[in-house]
Amino acid sequence: DVASLDCFARGADGQMWNIGFDGSRWGAWTAVGGRPAAGNTPSCVARSLGRVDCVIVDSANLLVHGSNLAGTWRPIIAEPV
């Protein structure tokens, strides 16, 4: 939906969190997983309708990839940088 919006933030627990807006209301905050390294900003992109992919370098110096397909976050994939 072109009226949707996803926002990401680092939570007090250090994890990356997501909240979505569907054009009429905000959803609930959802823990995405991964713990971005200090000073590291997540990079996220909507690759297609209903899909969001995010990558971060986490505090263990791993490149972490998470994807959301139709509202469900898929397992995190982590690889050494």
Side-chain angles (χ1 to χ4, degrees):
D1 183 346
V2 295
S4 65
L5 175 69
D6 280 273
C7 295
F8 299 88
R10 181 192 318 259
D13 61 359
Q15 289 191 81
M16 189 167 74
W17 286 75
N18 165 248
I19 191 168
F21 181 74
D22 67 8
S24 62
R25 65 180 180 81
W26 287 97
W29 283 100
T30 304
V32 175
R35 297 182 183 279
N40 187 279
T41 302
S43 295
C44 301
V45 63
R47 292 185 2 178
S48 62
L49 186 61
R51 179 174 180 151
V52 176
D53 287 276
C54 295
V55 293
I56 61 166
V57 174
D58 74 2
S59 56
N61 205 34
L62 296 174
L63 181 64
V64 178
H65 171 250
S67 62
N68 182 317
L69 186 56
T72 303
W73 282 99
R74 304 291 188 231
I76 296 289
I77 299 170
E79 298 288 336
V81 174

